[in-house]
Amino acid sequence: DTGVSQDPRHKITKRGQNVTFRCDPISEHNRLYWYRQTLGQGPEFLTYFQNEAQLEKSRLLSDRFSAERPKGSFSTLEIQRTEQGDSAMYLCASSIYRTEGEKLFFGSGTQLSVL
Amino acid sequence: KQEVTQIPAALSVPEGENLVLNCSFTDSAIYNLQWFRQDPGKGLTSLLLIQSSQREQTSGRLNASLDKSSGRSTLYIAASQPGDSATYLCAVRRHERNTGNQFYFGTGTSLTVIP
């Protein structure tokens, strides 16, 4: 169990550019979540995968955002035509349902700064 | 929609003091509640998970309680240490019948333990 990995840790980009983040969940976990967090706030749900199926997307997720999870393993989150308001920490979490409960495990996040 | 509130937003205590952090939620139909710790610029680390059928969970100096009917949870930290300084967040998981986004987060309590 190597934990949830996210890459890159930091990304600085200019407004209008596209960015892509990667998340590698814990290998046995079939559920994967993307969250966005701004300073002083709790994580805000973006999207959720169960295996390779994207089961829910937040209304906050504009058409500039897209996420994939091919083959139900790693996931990517792409933001097209970035805006300054996209600056935030993007967090990935994974989980697996067990009878004792579903515990979320988070990665270290990708800090995005849009200039 | 589930609303999760954490009070206080910030707390400063001298080393050695016992303290209580509060989390309240509006919809009592939850599946479980999880407490997390977040250090600045980092992801979230799971501390304790309480199932809806449980009243409390303990891990070391931490004790979390759950009163589902009143929509409250508390995190008790005994004999606080400077290393406990971090932001503490609670997240409630809605009932398993629902699919998609499962977790709702509070905005956290920022704890500072003064040596």
Side-chain angles (χ1 to χ4, degrees), chain A residues 9 31 33 35 37 40-43 45 48 55-56 89 91 97-104 106-109, chain B residues 31-32 34 36 38 41-46 49 51 89 93-94 96 99-103 105-108:
Chain A
R9 287 282 286 120
R31 298 180 176 186
Y33 301 81
Y35 289 89
Q37 187 180 28
Q41 300 297 313
F45 170 75
Y48 159 66
L55 294 185
E56 187 169 340
M89 173 78 87
L91 294 163
Y97 177 75
R98 299 189 192 280
T99 52
E100 63 268 26
E102 180 184 357
K103 187 182 287 189
L104 276 181
F106 280 84
S108 298
Chain B
Y31 193 68
N32 62 35
Q34 197 167 353
F36 294 88
Q38 187 174 30
K42 300 289 179 64
L44 283 70
T45 301
S46 179
L49 172 72
Q51 292 289 78
L89 298 106
R93 187 192 190 283
R94 63 185 188 184
E96 179 60 19
T99 59
N101 177 35
Q102 311 291 345
F103 298 91
F105 285 83
T107 53

Side-chain angles (χ1 to χ4, degrees), chain B residues 1-21:
Chain B
K1 184 193 168 196
Q2 180 74 269
E3 301 280 346
V4 182
T5 305
Q6 291 188 247
I7 294 173
L11 182 63
S12 185
V13 300
E15 182 177 1
E17 196 162 291
N18 302 326
L19 59 102
V20 174
L21 307 180

Side-chain angles (χ1 to χ4, degrees), chain A residues 57-71:
Chain A
K57 288 170 59 173
S58 167
R59 281 179 290 231
L60 299 169
L61 215 64
S62 75
D63 56 6
R64 296 184 298 106
F65 288 71
S66 63
E68 294 183 340
R69 191 183 183 199
K71 301 178 184 177

